[in-house]
Amino acid sequence: MSLSRAIIYPVARRFFAGVNLGPALERIKEDNTFGIGATVDFLGEDVADTSEAEMAKAEYRRAIEAIEFEALDASVAIKLTHIGLDISSILAENNALEIAAVAKERGVFLWVDMESSEHTDSIIKIYRKMLSKGVPAGLALQASLKRTWDDIKALTADGARIRLVKGAYNEPPEIAVQDMGGIRARFIDMARYLLDSGASFAIGTHDLLIIDRVREMASGADRVEYQMLMGLRDSTKKKLVREGLRVVEYVPYGADWYGYGIRRLTEKKRNALYFVQGLMGR
Ligand code: FDA
């Protein structure tokens, strides 16, 4: 391990389970004892090499098989650029459908993460193929993208399960709302639409304003899943579980933890403070 990775590792560890699947399974078991479900995320994206895409596919399969074998309350999240979308959409589709077939056979739910806007059409197309094959799968949609109103309506009409998120990618103003107030308002309106449509869906956010608003609107409906990342908002997760709501922790793992860990450590003042304290050995 390089010096910078060795220094960052102990402080970033709060945000991912470990380098291998084993610690991720341990984390999921711990979550499950608190009544929290999990979505396991094998870290990686944007692979440019077919052999890396093959490796990722094999690891996603392993995670699905382990979840079934250990009877865990967990699903698996996949990124299509991790299994070759940047190389070719046919390759990503074939890999995704292979993973989906295993998930279907094992009865493990698959979440397809949404990535940058250049991939949105291909990701939706591949997700639709999964749905048409009866795979238990959901798709993340980004409230900040202007196209999302159309996508959410068309996809829910076709039985899709949506994870609504703000959107993690820097997108230009022509296609994405930029201000936080606007994004929050769209998020809440979209959540209301999903509730009114009778769909079962998830929200992926740490934004208490949104979480509280959705809780109010849902008034105890068990069709809403509250998803948050490992290492963030732990007390909120437990509080929502005590209220009888469905909470799912997103549990990342893998050798590709460095970029992910740095992003989490630097995105919020509180996390940056934790980072500095960790480096000082406090
Ligand atoms: P945001 O960063 O907007 O903050 C909102 C408010 O909460 C602010 O007031 C902030 O200060 C406060 N806050 C947030 N985190 C805090 C913390 N740790 N401590 C204290 N205060 C905090 N994106 C994507 O493009 N595709 C995807 O597939 C997914 N998938 C996904 C799954 C899950 C489970 C989650 C939680 C998120 C995603 N995302 C995603 C990421 C998402 O789009 C978004 O970028 C992040 O969740 C950040 O937005 P938030 O609403 O969580 O908080």
Side-chain angles (χ1 to χ4, degrees):
M1 206 187 281
S2 72
L3 185 58
S4 61
R5 286 170 77 92
I7 292 170
I8 303 291
Y9 185 84
V11 274
R13 268 287 275 104
R14 168 178 177 226
F15 301 106
F16 67 97
V19 172
N20 302 309
L21 179 59
L25 297 175
E26 291 312 309
R27 174 70 185 195
I28 294 170
K29 285 178 200 162
E30 198 185 319
D31 281 341
N32 288 179
T33 62
F34 289 109
I36 298 174
T39 294
V40 67
D41 167 34
F42 173 50
L43 288 166
E45 58 198 308
D46 301 336
V47 304
D49 189 307
T50 315
S51 62
E52 280 181 72
E54 282 294 317
M55 255 180 49
K57 178 176 71 182
E59 185 63 25
Y60 284 133
R61 286 183 66 133
R62 245 163 54 80
I64 292 167
E65 286 162 2
I67 286 169
E68 189 228 17
F69 184 73
E70 305 230 23
L72 300 174
D73 173 4
S75 53
V76 173
I78 63 172
K79 278 198 172 55
L80 296 188
T81 64
H82 201 182
I83 50 171
L85 189 57
D86 281 334
I87 304 167
S88 98
S89 99
I90 293 290
L91 174 70
E93 178 175 321
N94 290 340
N95 284 341
L97 290 178
E98 265 186 59
I99 295 166
V102 181
K104 186 177 175 187
E105 186 193 313
R106 305 285 176 142
V108 174
F109 195 86
L110 269 191
W111 280 104
V112 179
D113 286 350
M114 186 48 76
E115 304 185 57
S116 59
S117 61
E118 80 208 76
H119 296 306
T120 311
D121 280 327
S122 312
I123 293 175
I124 291 178
K125 186 168 154 258
I126 295 173
Y127 171 70
R128 280 186 172 285
K129 283 252 163 82
M130 289 182 180
L131 270 192
S132 72
K133 292 184 183 296
V135 175
L139 175 70
L141 287 181
Q142 298 152 332
S144 54
L145 276 199
K146 293 181 181 170
R147 61 172 287 165
T148 295
W149 264 120
D150 292 335
D151 291 332
I152 217 167
K153 288 177 183 167
L155 282 157
T156 46
D158 291 342
R161 179 141 185 245
I162 304 299
R163 175 209 294 149
L164 193 57
V165 299
K166 285 179 181 166
Y169 299 83
N170 281 330
E171 303 287 0
E174 297 76 46
I175 61 162
V177 174
Q178 309 286 318
D179 69 293
M180 182 57 82
I183 297 169
R184 276 179 167 151
R186 287 168 64 82
F187 197 121
I188 290 166
D189 286 347
M190 287 174 188
R192 186 181 295 112
Y193 174 84
L194 288 166
L195 276 167
D196 291 346
S197 72
S200 155
F201 67 100
I203 59 166
T205 181
H206 311 101
D207 192 329
L208 293 183
L209 191 138
I210 292 178
I211 292 174
D212 286 346
R213 192 72 193 95
V214 173
R215 262 164 74 213
E216 267 168 46
M217 293 191 301
S219 61
D222 58 4
R223 289 183 286 116
V224 188
E225 188 168 288
Y226 298 82
Q227 298 189 353
M228 285 167 253
L229 304 180
M230 179 178 165
L232 295 177
R233 293 264 188 246
D234 286 341
S235 58
T236 305
K237 288 171 194 156
K238 288 182 181 154
K239 179 172 160 263
L240 296 181
V241 167
R242 281 196 300 275
E243 288 175 21
L245 300 175
R246 168 80 178 155
V247 177
V248 164
E249 182 172 83
Y250 194 94
V251 178
Y253 77 95
D256 214 357
W257 57 268
Y258 184 76
Y260 179 85
I262 292 282
R263 272 206 303 283
R264 295 285 86 78
L265 282 167
T266 50
E267 71 191 346
K268 294 277 172 278
K269 271 195 210 134
R270 204 158 101 182
N271 295 342
L273 181 66
Y274 180 87
F275 177 36
V276 174
Q277 283 174 345
L279 289 181
M280 289 164 67
R282 290 174 55 190

